[in-house]
Amino acid sequence: MIDEIKRETNQRMGKSLEALTHAFGRIRTGRANPAILEGIEVSYYGTGTPLNQVASISVEDARTLVIAPWEKKLLPEIEKAILKSDLGITPKSTSDVVRIPLPPLSEENRRDLAKLAKQEAEQGRVAIRNIRRDAIGDIRELVKEKEISEDDARRAEEDIQRLTDKRISEIDHALSEKEADLLKI
């Protein structure tokens, strides 16, 4: 019983960490990264379809992304979708590809993005703490139903707290790396 709770807690915390890593990938740094285009949907035969399912996205150089649609008629749709997104970038299309030049980040933009990264990290910490709260609640429920002893419950709670501390330190490490990446010129 306790091992199952610990295993589930570890998995849920791992998923929260993955979500944070994914969120950090969408935060733009000074370099071109195809992950910033995740979440953009293109109208494809009247259906909203993720951009990476209708085109290949590659990095041309340090500050340019290239989108090559699989059907040329999608070029205007891709441009519209990028312009409608809140990325603040302007695509430039040629006859067969869309190029996205990423302007260099100003110091103010870097600070704003660092604040956004801190907010994402705090959301990750809150999610980890909520998972811990749920797991400890499950353990206390087992004690209440007399399925485990109080000593076993205390040891399990300590294990879950150690796991929580480990995951939060991983979040802090990821945040410090992202901040260093953002503030590096």
Side-chain angles (χ1 to χ4, degrees), residues 112-123:
D112 290 344
L113 291 172
K115 284 180 188 176
L116 180 62
K118 286 178 184 177
Q119 290 172 352
E120 293 288 347
E122 185 56 33
Q123 289 175 357

Side-chain angles (χ1 to χ4, degrees), residues 70-110:
W70 294 316
E71 295 180 29
K72 287 189 182 190
K73 67 179 183 174
L74 285 174
L75 281 171
E77 294 294 330
I78 291 172
E79 276 190 85
K80 272 194 253 178
I82 292 169
L83 286 170
K84 279 197 298 190
S85 71
D86 60 350
L87 294 175
I89 52 180
T90 306
K92 295 179 181 171
S93 66
T94 59
S95 62
D96 56 347
V97 296
V98 176
R99 282 190 170 71
I100 302 175
L102 299 172
L105 294 172
S106 68
E107 188 65 29
E108 183 180 338
N109 289 355
R110 291 176 188 276

